[in-house]
Amino acid sequence: MRVLKPALLSLMILVCVAQVGHAHRFYAAFTQIDLREKKQTVEIVHRLFTHDVEDMLQVTVGNPAGLGEKELEALLRDFVEGAFALYDGEGQRLPLTWIGMEYATDNVLIYQEAPLPADPSQFTVINRLFMKQFEEQKNTVNVEMNGDIRTRIFTKGRERQKVSFAEEE
């Protein structure tokens, strides 16, 4: 019986550590940017975690429970437009059009669009989503053009990054 107690204790400690590790929140947002030459558009989809959006709304408006759909969308629009931007290779900011949003239990999807610049081979991306709220925020951005994908990870201090399709990376 004494042999089982240390084994049982070890097993219990492993279970507790696994649960604590599983409960640890990570802070991330994901953005997909598709450069559509046939349609002459830049299509953007942001995937935000609902719990991060709720935390941001709590700080912004207090209790977000009473917000209507239009109020919620306006707040999220202001938030995204203030934290995310695209610039062409000439340094001109692309005018991003808000297309809409969808929300589910775990995710909020936000859709934006812009006209494709004359030279879509280079961009500068600014992504500060949730960086004011969370020290450890990491935002992943995938930019795709003609099947080629460039990925950038944005963190505090690295909120502005260049993406180029002009050369192999």
Side-chain angles (χ1 to χ4, degrees):
M1 187 73 171
R2 290 185 189 262
V3 175
L4 289 178
K5 283 188 180 179
L8 185 59
L9 181 60
S10 295
L11 180 61
M12 289 174 55
I13 289 171
L14 283 174
V15 169
C16 289
V17 169
Q19 287 178 344
V20 169
H22 181 69
H24 177 73
R25 273 182 61 179
F26 62 96
Y27 301 100
F30 300 93
T31 299
Q32 176 69 35
I33 302 171
D34 292 314
L35 309 176
R36 307 268 187 210
E37 289 184 294
K38 287 182 182 177
K39 295 168 88 178
Q40 288 295 296
T41 60
V42 177
E43 296 174 358
I44 303 161
V45 179
H46 304 280
R47 179 177 165 232
L48 313 176
F49 288 106
T50 303
H51 58 78
D52 293 339
V53 171
E54 289 169 349
D55 288 350
M56 181 273 299
L57 290 171
Q58 185 71 35
V59 169
T60 305
V61 297
N63 182 7
L67 292 175
E69 191 172 325
K70 288 185 180 194
E71 294 168 306
L72 176 62
E73 187 165 345
L75 286 167
L76 283 171
R77 182 178 181 166
D78 288 345
F79 171 70
V80 170
E81 289 177 352
F84 182 86
L86 280 178
Y87 292 82
D88 66 16
E90 302 295 317
Q92 298 296 312
R93 186 173 182 162
L94 296 182
L96 301 180
T97 301
W98 180 269
I99 302 300
M101 61 179 265
E102 296 177 78
Y103 49 91
T105 303
D106 295 332
N107 298 299
V108 176
L109 298 174
I110 295 179
Y111 303 95
Q112 293 178 296
E113 191 174 79
L116 189 70
D119 178 11
S121 65
Q122 293 186 352
F123 285 91
T124 297
V125 180
I126 296 176
N127 189 330
R128 297 184 182 108
L129 294 169
F130 299 113
M131 291 194 188
K132 288 182 182 177
Q133 288 81 16
F134 310 119
E135 271 305 307
E136 298 174 12
Q137 183 71 27
K138 290 182 182 172
N139 297 331
T140 301
V141 175
N142 290 323
V143 183
E144 184 173 351
M145 183 170 80
N146 298 326
D148 290 332
I149 299 172
R150 303 290 188 262
T151 300
R152 299 291 183 269
I153 307 294
F154 294 77
T155 57
K156 282 193 178 183
R158 290 189 42 88
E159 298 103 347
R160 174 187 287 263
Q161 296 185 43
K162 292 188 183 284
V163 176
S164 176
F165 289 93
E167 57 192 53
E168 281 299 313
E169 291 185 10

